[in-house]
């Protein structure tokens, strides 16, 4: 027979082993439970998305505008500077700034002096344009003076806003709104853009100069469609001599 002490000793060892095994099981179960809880928990919210920065934000748009202000070939630098200053000054009234027209009346009517300017590319299309009878009474081919007076039949200077089209006594025409004190009677005087036979290139070859308008920007009959296409309503024409 085994002694009572031996039996008790074995029971104590068995009990100790059971307690250790139970603890390990609880620990393993707890690990599995924690793991399951972590796996099933909703993911943490992502940080706010950073929006892409557009070129204009980085200042690239001003660079493009600055490049567009480089003087285009064929236009006097001081005149172009005055024209772009006028565009900036009247920017709230001139809807579209991508193209403008500049009339350089320091040049004779025998030379192409009406410049269609693409402000984005710097491309220039020069055309012939007539000046008013009242600006050149002796028909020298050179503009002598500007006038804003009604019935003066003279060309007026300053910035004009191109407006709507209509059909008048000169056919297809475009109204102009004078933006400066030197031309604010343009609408009342019916100073417009239209075509005329006396502004065709053959007048220069025959007479050495164009005929005269009543103050309007008269261009060649084959050039009017181009002017309308390039400008359209809401753009600026700038006319000056100095």
């Amino acid at each position: 027979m085994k002694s009572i002490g031996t039996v008790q000793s074995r029971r104590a060892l068995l009990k100790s082993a059971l307690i250790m095994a139970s603890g390990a099981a609880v620990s393993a179960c707890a690990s599995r439970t924690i793991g399951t809880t972590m796996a099933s928990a909703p993911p943490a919210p992502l940080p706010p998305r950073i929006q892409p920065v557009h070129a204009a934000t980085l200042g690239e748009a001003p660079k493009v505008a600055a490049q567009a202000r480089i003087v285009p070939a064929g236009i006097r630098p001081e005149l172009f500077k005055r024209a772009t200053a006028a565009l900036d000054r009247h920017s709230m009234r001139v809807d579209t700034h991508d193209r403008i027209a500049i009339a350089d009346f320091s040049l004779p009517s025998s030379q192409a002096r009406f410049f269609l300017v693409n402000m984005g590319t710097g491309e220039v299309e020069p055309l012939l344009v007539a000046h008013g009878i009242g600006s050149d009474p002796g028909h020298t081919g050179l503009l002598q003076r500007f006038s804003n007076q009604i019935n003066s039949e003279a060309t007026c200077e300053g910035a004009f806003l191109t407006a709507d089209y209509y059909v008048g006594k000169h056919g297809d025409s475009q109204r102009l709104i004078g933006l400066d004190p030197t031309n604010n009677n343009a609408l009342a005087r019916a100073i417009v853009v239209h075509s005329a036979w006396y502004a065709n290139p053959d007048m220069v070859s025959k007479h050495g100069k164009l005929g005269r308008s009543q103050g309007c920007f008269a261009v060649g009959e084959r050039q009017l469609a181009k002017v309308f296409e390039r400008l359209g309503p809401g753009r600026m024409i700038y006319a000056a001599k100095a």
Side-chain angles (χ1 to χ4, degrees):
M1 291 180 65
K2 296 179 180 178
S3 64
I4 295 174
T6 303
V7 172
Q8 290 177 343
S9 177
R10 288 180 177 177
R11 287 178 178 175
L13 290 172
L14 181 60
K15 182 178 180 181
S16 177
L18 289 172
I19 290 171
M20 292 177 65
S22 176
V26 171
S27 177
C29 181
S31 297
R32 287 194 298 272
T33 303
I34 292 171
T36 303
T37 302
M38 292 178 65
S40 61
L46 295 174
R49 184 185 176 195
I50 299 175
Q51 297 296 329
V53 179
H54 297 287
T57 308
L58 294 173
E60 292 184 16
K63 291 179 181 178
V64 172
Q67 291 174 357
R69 295 298 172 89
I70 296 174
V71 180
I75 301 178
R76 291 185 293 122
E78 62 273 22
L79 179 58
F80 185 72
K81 183 178 180 179
R82 289 178 60 187
T84 53
L87 183 63
D88 292 338
R89 186 169 63 251
H90 299 298
S91 60
M92 297 301 292
R93 297 191 65 184
V94 180
D95 295 331
T96 311
H97 295 189
D98 58 343
R99 289 187 293 276
I100 65 173
I102 299 176
D104 185 355
F105 285 114
S106 69
L107 300 174
S109 64
S110 58
Q111 294 185 29
R113 55 183 180 172
F114 191 72
F115 302 97
L116 302 174
V117 184
N118 186 314
M119 297 294 283
T121 65
E123 181 183 3
V124 178
E125 297 175 88
L127 305 173
L128 294 170
V129 66
H131 53 250
I133 295 171
S135 290
D136 181 16
H139 200 186
T140 65
L142 286 168
L143 182 143
Q144 307 295 328
R145 67 183 184 94
F146 291 110
S147 178
N148 191 34
Q149 296 298 314
I150 294 175
N151 298 324
S152 66
E153 296 189 326
T155 298
C156 47
E157 64 180 325
F160 300 81
L161 175 67
T162 58
D164 61 310
Y165 301 107
Y166 71 101
V167 179
K169 64 179 182 179
H170 299 292
D172 294 336
S173 306
Q174 183 173 29
R175 291 185 176 91
L176 300 176
I177 299 171
L179 302 178
D180 292 320
T182 54
N183 65 359
N184 56 12
N185 285 328
L187 197 60
R189 294 179 57 201
I191 301 299
V192 303
V193 177
H194 65 78
S195 65
W197 60 268
Y198 57 78
N200 288 335
D202 65 341
M203 291 295 292
V204 176
S205 59
K206 292 177 181 177
H207 305 286
K209 57 193 172 187
L210 298 182
R212 296 164 296 172
S213 69
Q214 292 177 301
C216 295
F217 294 88
V219 298
E221 292 170 308
R222 294 185 178 181
Q223 302 302 322
L224 186 65
K226 178 184 290 187
V227 175
F228 284 175
E229 178 186 353
R230 298 293 190 273
L231 292 181
R235 291 186 173 88
M236 187 190 79
I237 297 175
Y238 185 76
K241 180 177 180 179

